[in-house]
Amino acid sequence: MPADGLDPADPAINRILIAQLAIPATFDEVRAALAALMAGPVLAGVPPDDRGMTELVLAEAMNNIVEHAYADTDEGEITLTLWQAAGEVACRITDRGTAMPDSALPEGRLAPLGEGADLPEGGFGWFLIRTLSRDLRYARHGTLNELTFVLANQQYDPAQPVVSP
Amino acid sequence: MKLTSEILDDMLIVHVDEARIDAAGAIQFKESMRAATADAAAPARVVLNLARVGFLDSSGLGAVVAVMKLLMPARKLELACLTPTVEKVFRLTRMDSVFRIHATVPGALRDAS
């Protein structure tokens, strides 16, 4: 961990809670939550050029939970917590669905592009999460899955208003 | 998923009238594209106008690839008017090397003049 990093798991780091929400684990609820988050003041400090990628990495992480962790149920819940500190945004996402296979994060390597019928239609999600995040960690606490990461290469302007949730 | 399509010269141009192609809408996008391109007599070049699509995630990307494969081998899917976020998704995943990507809808400039 870099000394100036914003480790979501480190309580010693002076960070400000900027968003905290719990949603039913469906694709539609993830979409609605992202729309509210991106339209609201919470992420107003993210420069316009970075906002799309911020939304993308959050979408990939939460949609993975809907698709895989809660593959067998429509009753799941996802929590999302965001902090800002030192010009960066840190994220914690939890669910109580199935654990990651082998308790490890997928490698997220892009499949060889191939041609025509061999072109991959999936496998982009973890590649995008890994590309757009830093200090990515997965932990299983009892029945809880916890994913933490820092939004990489996306500066948060502390001069922008920060609202408490 | 709202799509409108028109034939222009040798192209079937499909305009996506939605702000996003994401996990919640990827299946409907595929089904709507299947319907929009169902006429086998339509042109072999299919140009997807993504000018209104501000957000596309990995599920949306997978759906676009699936549509391309659905049209193969007789027909070809091309893309036009990618917004910055969508363009970045194609670039990061290197899928920008797979599709012919137009900065504008082909023919639109000529029509405007």
Side-chain angles (χ1 to χ4, degrees):
Chain A
M1 174 186 29
D4 61 347
L6 176 58
D7 179 359
D10 185 350
I13 289 176
N14 184 15
R15 58 190 184 182
I16 302 166
L17 185 67
I18 55 174
Q20 194 161 33
L21 51 104
I23 59 167
T26 69
F27 293 135
D28 285 331
E29 293 285 348
V30 169
R31 178 197 269 183
L34 287 170
L37 205 56
M38 300 314 293
V42 166
L43 293 172
V46 177
D49 287 354
D50 294 339
R51 296 175 65 81
M53 293 300 107
T54 296
E55 182 173 6
L56 181 63
V57 68
L58 297 177
E60 297 297 340
M62 291 194 283
N63 285 331
N64 267 325
I65 292 171
V66 176
E67 192 173 352
H68 298 292
Y70 289 125
D72 303 327
T73 175
D74 298 326
E75 301 291 309
E77 184 180 80
I78 299 172
T79 76
L80 169 70
T81 311
L82 299 174
W83 296 270
Q84 70 98 1
E88 292 186 306
V89 176
C91 177
R92 175 177 184 262
I93 298 174
T94 70
D95 67 80
R96 293 194 177 273
T98 314
M100 286 280 177
D102 304 322
S103 296
L105 289 172
E107 278 190 50
R109 277 197 208 146
L110 276 188
L113 283 184
E115 279 189 23
D118 293 334
L119 275 172
E121 291 176 39
F124 306 115
W126 280 105
F127 169 80
L128 289 169
I129 293 171
R130 287 191 178 275
T131 302
L132 299 169
S133 73
R134 179 162 64 64
D135 297 347
L136 181 69
R137 288 191 183 83
Y138 166 74
R140 176 88 173 172
H141 308 286
T143 59
L144 185 81
N145 293 313
E146 178 187 57
L147 186 71
T148 56
F149 55 88
V150 175
L151 300 179
N153 308 317
Q154 296 167 62
Q155 291 299 304
Y156 189 95
D157 179 1
Q160 291 289 328
V162 172
V163 293
S164 299
Chain B
M1 172 92 33
K2 191 161 183 305
L3 307 174
T4 49
S5 51
E6 57 180 321
I7 292 174
L8 180 69
D9 298 334
D10 65 336
M11 295 170 287
L12 175 70
I13 300 182
V14 182
H15 307 274
V16 182
D17 299 324
E18 300 276 346
R20 46 203 299 140
I21 307 175
D22 61 9
I27 291 173
Q28 294 131 282
F29 170 75
K30 246 191 285 187
E31 290 309 311
S32 300
M33 280 300 290
R34 191 193 298 271
T37 58
D39 183 357
R45 282 178 74 193
V46 178
V47 179
L48 189 63
N49 179 5
L50 292 168
R52 289 191 60 186
V53 179
F55 184 82
L56 173 135
D57 64 11
S58 65
S59 300
L61 180 64
V64 172
V65 174
V67 169
M68 189 200 76
K69 289 159 79 166
L70 185 75
L71 294 170
M72 284 176 31
R75 305 166 78 188
K76 192 161 171 284
L77 183 67
E78 305 175 13
L79 309 176
C81 303
L82 273 55
T83 60
T85 298
V86 173
E87 190 272 334
K88 207 163 176 180
V89 173
F90 275 87
R91 185 153 42 83
L92 285 173
T93 56
R94 300 203 300 265
M95 297 306 282
D96 59 344
S97 64
V98 169
F99 292 91
R100 181 164 177 200
I101 299 176
H102 306 273
T104 59
V105 174
L109 282 177
R110 181 207 59 195
D111 286 355
S113 63

